[in-house]
Amino acid sequence: MIRRHVLVSGLVQGVGYRYLARKHAERLAVTGWVRNLPDGSVEAEVQGSEAAVQEMLRRLEAGPPGSHVTELVVTELDPRDDEGFRITR
């Protein structure tokens, strides 16, 4: 089990980014959260098997149609108890 903190920059707000992230997380059985930041970026934490988290990171980097990811900054975190994947404020 691994956990990653992710900052996503680019055109990632107003394009359904968080909702697609939640959909991918549910399909990959990863837990965590995603939210918009005031500077126009998106922040997330993702936890699951190494393979599932790596695939989630690939999908976060691709983004939904209409988005344009310019940078994905990933930081390792210690795993913790988590349930589901949610969109937060």
Side-chain angles (χ1 to χ4, degrees):
M1 182 80 60
I2 64 171
R3 186 176 191 89
R4 298 293 181 261
H5 177 264
V6 186
L7 286 174
V8 187
S9 300
L11 177 58
V12 291
Q13 290 190 17
V15 293
Y17 192 94
R18 294 173 298 151
Y19 299 96
L20 186 62
R22 183 175 60 190
K23 187 179 219 178
H24 287 318
E26 290 169 354
R27 288 182 178 161
L28 294 168
V30 298
T31 61
W33 52 266
V34 63
R35 67 179 172 191
N36 285 341
L37 294 178
D39 67 359
S41 63
V42 169
E43 179 182 33
E45 286 190 11
V46 181
Q47 178 172 291
S49 71
E50 186 167 352
V53 170
Q54 291 302 322
E55 180 60 26
M56 183 68 178
L57 294 176
R58 281 190 284 280
R59 293 180 185 195
L60 290 175
E61 188 168 26
S67 70
H68 178 72
V69 175
T70 58
E71 185 176 29
L72 196 76
V73 178
V74 180
T75 307
E76 292 184 26
L77 297 174
D78 291 330
R80 64 177 194 202
D81 289 339
D82 217 356
E83 291 185 19
F85 191 89
R86 62 200 180 283
I87 296 172
T88 66
R89 294 184 185 246

